[in-house]
Structures are given as structure tokens and as C-alpha cells.
Amino acid sequence: MTGTPTGVPRFTFWHVVVAGLVALAAAPLVAIVASFRAIDSDVWHHLTTYLLPTQLLETAQLLLVVLLLAFGLGVGLAWLTTAYRFPGVALFRWALLLPLAMPAYVLGFVYLAWFDVTGSVTLLLRRWDIPLPQVRTLWGAAWVLALALYPYVYLAARVAFVTTSARALEVGQALGLTRRQAFWRVAVPLARPAIVAGCALVAFEVLADFGVVALFGVETLSVGIYKAWYALFSLPTAMQIAALLAFLAILALLFEQWARKRARFTTTGRSQPLAPTRLASLPAWSATLVCTVVLAVALLLPVAQLGVWAWTLGRDALTSRYWHFFANSLLLGGSGAFVTVLLAVLLAYAQRLDGRPLMHTAVRIATVGYALPGAVLAVGVVAVTSAVDHAWVALGRGFGAQWAPLLGGTVVAMLIAYAIRFLVVAFGPVQSALGRVTTRMDEAAHSLGETQYGVLRRIHLPLLRPALFAAAALVFIDILKELPITLMTRPFGWETLATRIFELTNDGRWEEAALPALAVTLAGTVPAWFLAKEVTHPTSAHTRETPC
């Protein structure tokens, strides 16, 4: 039935669902673009004179530095654990992916607690007159973001290297290339589509980041959106700055698609996996040391520090308010995961029923939200929900009643923003699993009189349970870590673990933020561990679908 338009009615319930999801994804962007109808010239004069040049420059610099660092760490470690054998390599192959569970802003405040002017490491080294460079800089933020985001590149590059045929490298070496030259001239070009996809995810996350840049005092466009909204109290100006950020994200998306199209490679015949080379004693232990250091600075030491702080101050932090934050986080994560996975199932099933090019285009538009920074989506969703509320209140007045706003400042608005942002995260596993179900089962069920809805409910959903669980877990963790959308769309007085961490760290109260930070990190470790174990078995590996 996949890709077979024959027998599909011209416009069905499934088309309505897809049209609704396309409208949902496009509405925030339309609202942002529409904001340019009313430009505050005084505010924009101030922005273009004093703020925007710096914000654009620092956004570009941060993006470039993080991409270079993430590329070096991700590709280097992926090649090291794929092409060589050394002590602990079997452990490092999946453990190096675990820093994916650590929210970047949590890693950021741990590093500030160590290396800031009054940080513990800084004070310790000062006793021996060993100076440390200032950490609250663009370079400090770039280092933290690279440590938190390199797993995206590592995951994509490792899967590509594992599936690369050894014959391609053998041909290169037969032509006189050393193993290092074969890596740069054969392995990296063959893996380029995957590496570009991983780097694109890093770029989207950097453009979307608000927590790390706010902590390190880096003036990026996402910070500018927040200040325009909460300092200048100008939502239209925030939307217009968001349009600039969305433009950069779309440029990154277009570049990613262009680069992947220009780098498609095919293999003929049976592919022979790359056989790892056993390293000699000194290089082997050096490789072990490199992997250990990266894993330690990106995950183990920060988690240990959080554990010490949580153990020391946990009893005082465990107040009734804390449990309220925890319950709010679970409620948001659980309900957001349910809604997003439900929409992903409907979208994937609609694409299965109608495989025409127009449907594929609609699916791409519906899942483009992951490419948009959270701050941009938050501003767009607030604009749309405000318009809906104004129309609703006006309708109430028409009936002589005073109706309360429907969406603004409610959890529903947050769930809408989460669904737009993370739909592709759930769609990837669901679509992949649905594609493995043979269409003959659908045909057999239809021949017995079952409807399309009945086939989905009684046949596909039971078969999709593992994929649904994986999709729900990934979305749950993403929502648990998400900061800009939660900060900007939450109801008044609504606090979660993420917002609590941000507020405490913004005040320099690192130790008090340890317990919620540790809870968020450990909650993300479980799905990251499952994902990492999948990577060690490339035949069953799943990767996040890139928003393309």
C-alpha cells in the first residue's frame, strides 16, 4: 500500500490530519513573518546600533567554533573506535554516546562552578599562582556546547564508518595511501552525508541554545529574543529577531540538504565490514586515555560533582516545592510525549496510505519544526495563540458574554510548541518500524472487511510497540531538557526542573541546582544507553531522523 495512490480517495481523514499538521508547523513561521507589518523604528534603531551586530557576529562565531570542535571530537572518536582495537574499545563504542543525556546548560553551570573567578578549581590553582583564562567567554560556551553535542556527530559518523566497505580503503592503500591518508581521502568523503547530517543537528542545537549562552554571557540572537520580550516588553520586536534566527536555521537546513545531495555514494556487490587494526602498546594506551578523558570531562566528572552537591544539600532542597517541580516536569514530558507520538503515528500512517510526492512534501513541512530554534517556535506559538484568544474573546462579546482566553498561558500552548519541535524525533522511529510491516498484512485485513482505522489499531499498533516506546522515551527526555520553549510559554508561576535549574544557576546557586540537574541527567541516561547499545550493533542501529 506504501506509495500506491491507486484506490486512495482524493481527500480522506488522513489527508485532513496531514493538512492540519502542516498548518500547525507553518503557523508560527507565518506569524513571525507577519510581524514585519508593524516595525517599531525606535526599537530597531537601538537594536541595529547597539545589539544586533554583536548578536549576529557572536552567533556566527559560536556556531563555527562549536561545529569545528564537535566535528573533531565526533569524527575522530568514531574513527578511533571503529578502525582500531585498544583496551576498553568495546566499552567506549557505546559509552561515548552517553553525554547526549547531559543537558548543555547543566554541563555549563558545573564548569562555571569549577572555573569561574570564584570557582573551586580556580581558587585551588591560585594557591600555586597558576592563572586560568576567563571562562565566561564565547570560547567557554563553545567548549561546553561541543562536549554536550559532539555525540550527534559521533553517532552519525560511527554508523557510516561501520557500514563502509573495507574494500574501498584497501583500494586506496593499494594505490599507495597510508592508513591516515586513506581516512582523510576515502573514509571521510564516503561518510560525508552522515557527518553533514550530524553537524546539521549540532548547528540546529547551537542556534536553539539559550541556557549555555545566558550562563556564559554570550550575546546571541536567542538571548536577543528573550531580552526584547522580557526587557523591552516588545513581542513584535522579539518576533522580528526570531525571523533572523529562523532564516539562519533554514539556511543551515538548505545547506545540509544540498551537501547530502552532492555526496551520495553507492556500493556494488557484497559489503565487507572494516576490520579493526590492533594498536601497539603505547598508541593503544594513548587511545584509551583520550577516550577516557573525553568521557570524564563530558559526563563522569560533572555527574560526580552533581552527586556530591545533591548528597550535601539534597535534604534541604527536598521541599514540597521541589516535588511540585518534579511533578510538573513529569506531567509535561509524559503528556508531550503522548501527543507527539500520537501525531507521529497518524502522520506516518497517512504517508503509508498515500505515497504520492505531494504527501512526501507535506510530511517534510510538517516535520521541519526541529530545524527551528526553540525561542523562535515559542515566539511564533505565542503570537498564534494570542490571535486565537483575541478571536475567541471577541466572539464571546458578540454573544454578550466574557469568555476567558483559550490557549494563552496554558499548558496546551506548551504542548503545541513541543509537538511542532519534536515531531520529527518521534516520526523517525515510527516511520522506520512501519516500513518494515509488509503491505500484505494490510491487504489481508482489508479482504476480511477491516477498515483503515481498524488495521492501524488492531495490527500496526501492536507491532509498533517497541518503536512507540523508543519514540516516546526520546521525546520525553527532549521535553525534560528543553528550556527556551518552557521558559517563554509556561503559565504564570509554572515551574519545572529545567526552569528551576535555570533560575538557580542564573543566581549563581550551583549547589542548590544539583538535585534537579542530577534528576534530569539520570532520566536521560536510560534512553541514551539503549541508543548507544544499538550503535554497537550497526545492523539494528537507529539514528534520529534529521529534519530534511
Side-chain angles (χ1 to χ4, degrees):
M1 188 173 295
T2 305
T4 56
T6 57
V8 178
R10 297 295 298 175
F11 203 77
T12 67
F13 164 77
W14 304 103
H15 294 100
V16 175
V17 169
V18 174
L21 291 176
V22 169
L24 195 66
L29 280 178
V30 173
I32 288 171
V33 173
S35 69
F36 282 93
R37 291 179 303 177
I39 296 178
D40 190 328
S41 56
D42 292 336
V43 173
W44 268 97
H45 176 73
H46 174 77
L47 289 175
T48 53
T49 304
Y50 301 106
L51 299 178
L52 270 184
T54 302
Q55 291 169 354
L56 280 169
L57 180 63
E58 296 204 356
T59 299
Q61 289 176 333
L62 184 69
L63 186 61
L64 179 62
V65 176
V66 174
L67 281 175
L68 289 175
L69 290 173
F71 174 85
L73 286 171
V75 176
L77 291 172
W79 179 249
L80 193 62
T81 56
T82 304
Y84 298 100
R85 294 176 62 186
F86 53 88
V89 66
L91 170 68
F92 291 124
R93 282 173 185 157
W94 60 266
L96 286 169
L97 194 60
L98 292 183
L100 198 63
M102 173 73 77
Y105 53 85
V106 171
L107 192 64
F109 85 71
V110 171
Y111 268 78
L112 283 180
W114 287 342
F115 298 107
D116 205 4
V117 177
T118 57
S120 55
V121 176
T122 303
L123 294 178
L124 181 64
L125 294 179
R126 197 174 293 166
R127 295 179 182 176
W128 294 292
D129 295 328
I130 300 176
L132 281 178
Q134 174 62 253
V135 71
R136 282 185 188 263
T137 62
L138 185 145
W139 294 98
W143 173 247
V144 168
L145 284 170
L147 286 179
L149 301 177
Y150 86 82
Y152 287 116
V153 184
Y154 171 79
L155 172 64
R158 176 162 162 72
V159 171
F161 290 148
V162 167
T163 54
T164 296
S165 173
R167 291 178 181 173
L169 294 176
E170 291 170 357
V171 169
Q173 291 177 321
L175 293 175
L177 299 180
T178 64
R179 197 168 180 84
R180 178 178 300 178
Q181 290 172 328
F183 165 70
W184 284 110
R185 298 179 62 178
V186 179
V188 170
L190 286 175
R192 198 173 76 191
I195 294 172
V196 169
C199 289
L201 287 177
V202 172
F204 297 146
E205 292 291 337
V206 172
L207 291 175
D209 178 74
F210 174 73
V212 173
V213 293
L215 284 173
F216 283 75
V218 182
E219 289 289 333
T220 62
L221 287 174
S222 59
V223 174
I225 295 171
Y226 190 83
K227 287 183 175 178
W229 194 347
Y230 289 95
L232 300 177
F233 303 103
S234 176
L235 179 58
T237 304
M239 294 171 67
Q240 289 151 13
I241 299 175
L244 293 178
L245 195 53
F247 177 71
L248 291 179
I250 291 172
L251 279 183
L253 178 62
L254 293 176
F255 175 77
E256 185 260 356
Q257 292 182 351
W258 174 79
R260 293 178 73 182
K261 282 182 180 178
R262 286 174 55 88
R264 286 181 177 172
F265 302 96
T266 58
T267 57
T268 59
R270 298 184 61 180
S271 177
Q272 183 179 0
L274 181 66
T277 301
R278 181 182 293 277
L279 291 174
S281 178
L282 182 59
W285 286 109
S286 299
T288 302
L289 179 64
V290 168
C291 294
T292 303
V293 168
V294 173
L295 191 60
V297 298
L299 182 71
L300 299 180
L301 292 177
V303 168
Q305 178 66 83
L306 291 175
V308 170
W309 285 338
W311 179 260
T312 306
L313 300 173
R315 185 174 300 176
D316 297 332
L318 278 174
T319 63
S320 58
R321 290 186 65 209
Y322 177 84
W323 291 111
H324 190 63
F325 306 149
F326 192 72
N328 286 346
S329 296
L330 292 182
L331 175 64
L332 272 183
S335 55
F338 175 78
V339 171
T340 308
V341 172
L342 175 63
L343 296 178
V345 170
L346 295 176
L347 189 65
Y349 195 62
Q351 190 182 33
R352 179 184 177 88
L353 294 175
D354 185 352
R356 289 178 291 183
L358 182 61
M359 176 61 77
H360 288 293
T361 302
V363 169
R364 282 176 178 268
I365 296 174
T367 54
V368 78
Y370 194 73
L372 301 177
V376 175
L377 269 180
V379 171
V381 167
V382 168
V384 172
T385 54
S386 298
V388 171
D389 285 343
H390 286 144
W392 176 254
V393 172
L395 181 64
R397 288 174 184 163
F399 288 99
Q402 290 187 343
W403 293 349
L406 277 178
L407 300 174
T410 66
V411 175
V412 176
M414 303 174 74
L415 295 181
I416 291 173
Y418 291 145
I420 296 172
R421 175 110 167 92
F422 300 120
L423 182 59
V424 71
V425 175
F427 180 74
V430 172
Q431 184 198 36
S432 176
L434 198 58
R436 290 195 292 271
V437 180
T438 173
T439 56
R440 293 180 179 176
M441 299 181 72
D442 300 46
E443 295 166 359
H446 289 311
S447 68
L448 294 174
E450 193 62 84
T451 63
Q452 291 175 343
Y453 170 74
V455 173
L456 174 63
R457 183 175 63 86
R458 301 181 63 184
I459 295 178
H460 290 302
L461 288 183
L463 294 174
L464 294 178
R465 278 178 189 166
L468 296 179
F469 175 78
L474 286 172
V475 176
F476 177 84
I477 297 307
D478 272 329
I479 292 176
L480 210 61
K481 296 191 303 181
E482 214 291 328
L483 188 58
I485 292 177
T486 311
L487 270 178
M488 296 181 181
T489 62
R490 59 180 167 160
F492 180 75
W494 180 279
E495 298 281 358
T496 67
L497 290 174
T499 61
R500 186 61 177 164
I501 294 169
F502 176 76
E503 289 172 358
L504 291 173
T505 54
N506 218 24
D507 295 337
R509 297 152 67 186
W510 320 114
E511 292 86 351
E512 293 181 47
L515 199 56
L518 193 61
V520 172
T521 303
L522 294 180
T525 303
V526 176
W529 181 80
F530 279 113
L531 185 63
K533 297 295 286 186
E534 287 282 300
V535 175
T536 61
H537 301 285
T539 56
S540 61
H542 297 292
T543 60
R544 284 186 176 189
E545 295 288 332
T546 57
C548 58

